[in-house]
Amino acid sequence: MGTLETARRGAGIARGLRRLAKNPVSIDEARRVVSDEVARRDARFLDHLDSLVWPHPRGPIARLAANAGLEAGDVRGLVGELGVTGALEALRDAGVYVSYEEYQGRVDAVRGSASFSFAPTDFFNPVTRGDYLAATGGSSSGKGTPVELSFAWQRRQGRQRPIQHEMAGVRGKPSAVWLPVFPSAAGFGAVMKNMAGGSTPERWFSQIPTDLAGISDDKRTANRFLPALAAMTRTGLPAPEHVPTTDPRPVVSWLTDAVARAGGAIITGYASSLTAAARWAVDHDIDLSGVVANPASEPVTPGKLAVITEAGMRAFPMYAFTPEGTVAIRCGNCAAEEYHVWDQDLAVITRRRARGDGTDIDAFCWTSLAAEAPRVMVNVENDDYGVVRHGVACDCALGELGLTTRVSGIRGISKVVTAGISLDGELFDRLAEIDLPARLGGGPGDYQFAEVDDRGGAVLVVRVHPRLEAFDEAAAHAVIAESLGRSDNGLLAESVWSLHEGLRVERRVPVETAAGKTLSFDRSGTIITGAKNARTPTPSRGAEPKR
């Protein structure tokens, strides 16, 4: 990208940020719009199809519907008879769905005798164009999935913030974000959403430095531009500060100061990073009462919640994925790892399918409902699975607005999420079955990765079979770092994990599934250790979240 083009895009982003900050969403607007859109959900779904699907017959959803013999009138009849959820289930059963592998273009979508080839760009919103491009986490090939993001969508997401902050009793209190700069879009996105919701962060802490070695030139350019952007916008946009998870002192210091001067504080970040800050506070006898934490980007397990609570913070975890952003949040009445879906933005059902180890799971299938949506989706998988319940009443602020869909027990299907970073499961396959055996001996079945959730946050573990007697731990770290360095998101993971701090080697026999398979990444359950008052489930062969 040339200097002139960089300047042009930068000026456009600055204008967009100024508009977000100049016209933030009020609590009254947020409540009114969310409750109205939830009440009109059936009609909005049909309007969404009328504007973004049927006029674009070459789009993926229109092609699948045509193959199933379904036209606009047919779907209208389904919604009238069954509502949005029932209609989506009928569409799924008729073949109108897109698996994650089909979305990525890894396999063709075969429906009967027809076959379709899709790419992620096919799902871009054809009407509301993105204001800037980003990418999801890199795969084992080193390539991320392109996504378009718009300020219109960020403002829509901003409607969530005053509602959730009021629910937690901290609306108007100082806020901060502890999420990375590019190549991750998480930090910039969280800053914009808070800004749009009238809570411009005072501080932006990043787990990685802005000049992280090895990332692509355009990401490095974007990071160098961020401090200038803060000055150009004159909106209070904070410049990012490098604060690794391994040293949370600056974050804890800001939290205690914010509570002292304002009586409360809000912080959004990786669940593992917030857990590390909580543990540091507990170990140093620092009380974080008055702080509301919004952990996200990975499963917020009972172990993590126990540590955050022990430090005095109150946690309202969020569920998010790129590019849609925050799609669900936990209220005080939800069970552990359960969330209210923001029903005004998205609908979700499940599709029974097998994951890589042959275990049947209920994959989430998402449907966009907003004109500003970054992607046009009808029953499109996002590579997560879990439990979905519809029509669940709740007396919290979210339930009063009509949000009655709950998701719980969320885990990845092919991707691996640890310490907030998503990586393609193929990377661990290559490491465990090829790279580590080639350099250190042994073979497939002798190495296995897993996540351990302890009082310091999530730690990546590599299990090494005891039969490998002459094992060089330092060499294992080097092999893993080399493999991670092949993609931007791998570099992000390496920096956030701080390899030697965030990667633990265990000499133990890898865990098998109920079918006797030894997977490269053990998905049977998370070990929780060392947290006071935490439940400590023992991982079992083939254990799955309850349905």
Side-chain angles (χ1 to χ4, degrees), residues 369-538:
L369 298 176
E372 309 95 325
R375 293 186 291 180
V376 179
M377 302 188 295
V378 175
N379 291 338
V380 177
E381 294 179 8
N382 71 325
D383 204 28
D384 284 338
Y385 71 94
V387 179
V388 176
R389 294 192 296 151
H390 299 282
V392 183
C394 188
D395 62 3
C396 73
L398 305 175
E400 291 173 358
L401 294 173
L403 304 181
T404 61
T405 305
R406 304 267 188 109
V407 291
S408 60
I410 305 163
R411 295 294 184 270
I413 300 175
S414 67
K415 69 174 178 256
V416 170
V417 183
T418 185
I421 308 297
S422 297
L423 291 173
D424 197 306
E426 293 179 13
L427 182 146
F428 293 97
D429 292 340
R430 189 183 66 228
L431 273 169
E433 298 176 6
I434 299 174
D435 294 351
L436 287 169
R439 296 275 289 275
L440 301 171
D446 288 330
Y447 302 92
Q448 183 181 64
F449 292 86
E451 185 184 51
V452 171
D453 184 13
D454 66 14
R455 293 188 70 238
V459 175
L460 185 67
V461 167
V462 56
R463 297 168 182 153
V464 182
H465 202 293
R467 64 172 164 246
L468 301 181
E469 296 179 359
F471 179 73
D472 187 336
E473 185 171 329
H477 283 284
V479 171
I480 295 168
E482 179 182 329
S483 183
L484 290 172
R486 295 171 186 157
S487 73
D488 277 357
N489 216 52
L491 288 164
L492 172 66
E494 180 186 350
S495 181
V496 171
W497 295 341
S498 303
L499 274 178
H500 289 274
E501 292 285 344
L503 178 70
R504 181 181 302 165
V505 175
E506 292 184 352
R507 302 302 303 275
R508 59 170 289 188
V509 177
V511 174
E512 293 183 350
T513 67
K517 296 180 180 180
T518 301
L519 302 180
S520 301
F521 198 100
D522 174 25
R523 301 171 185 269
S524 63
T526 300
I527 303 170
I528 303 172
T529 61
K532 296 177 182 177
N533 304 319
R535 291 183 293 167
T536 54
T538 302

Side-chain angles (χ1 to χ4, degrees), residues 127-147:
V127 176
T128 303
R129 295 294 182 181
D131 293 304
Y132 58 98
L133 283 170
T136 62
S139 68
S140 57
S141 66
K143 298 178 181 178
T145 301
V147 294

Side-chain angles (χ1 to χ4, degrees), residues 295-314:
S297 299
E298 60 187 297
V300 185
T301 59
K304 293 185 181 76
L305 285 175
V307 178
I308 291 171
T309 301
E310 185 182 354
M313 292 191 280
R314 291 183 297 127

Side-chain angles (χ1 to χ4, degrees), residues 247-323:
D247 185 14
R249 287 176 294 176
V251 174
V252 174
S253 176
W254 178 83
L255 290 172
T256 54
D257 173 71
V259 171
R261 59 186 164 83
I266 312 156
I267 185 160
T268 303
Y270 288 152
S272 294
S273 296
L274 297 182
T275 304
R279 181 183 180 183
W280 193 91
V282 170
D283 290 346
H284 291 81
D285 295 322
I286 296 173
D287 183 7
L288 294 181
S289 296
V291 174
V292 165
N294 291 136
S297 299
E298 60 187 297
V300 185
T301 59
K304 293 185 181 76
L305 285 175
V307 178
I308 291 171
T309 301
E310 185 182 354
M313 292 191 280
R314 291 183 297 127
F316 292 81
M318 301 185 298
Y319 172 40
F321 54 83
T322 304

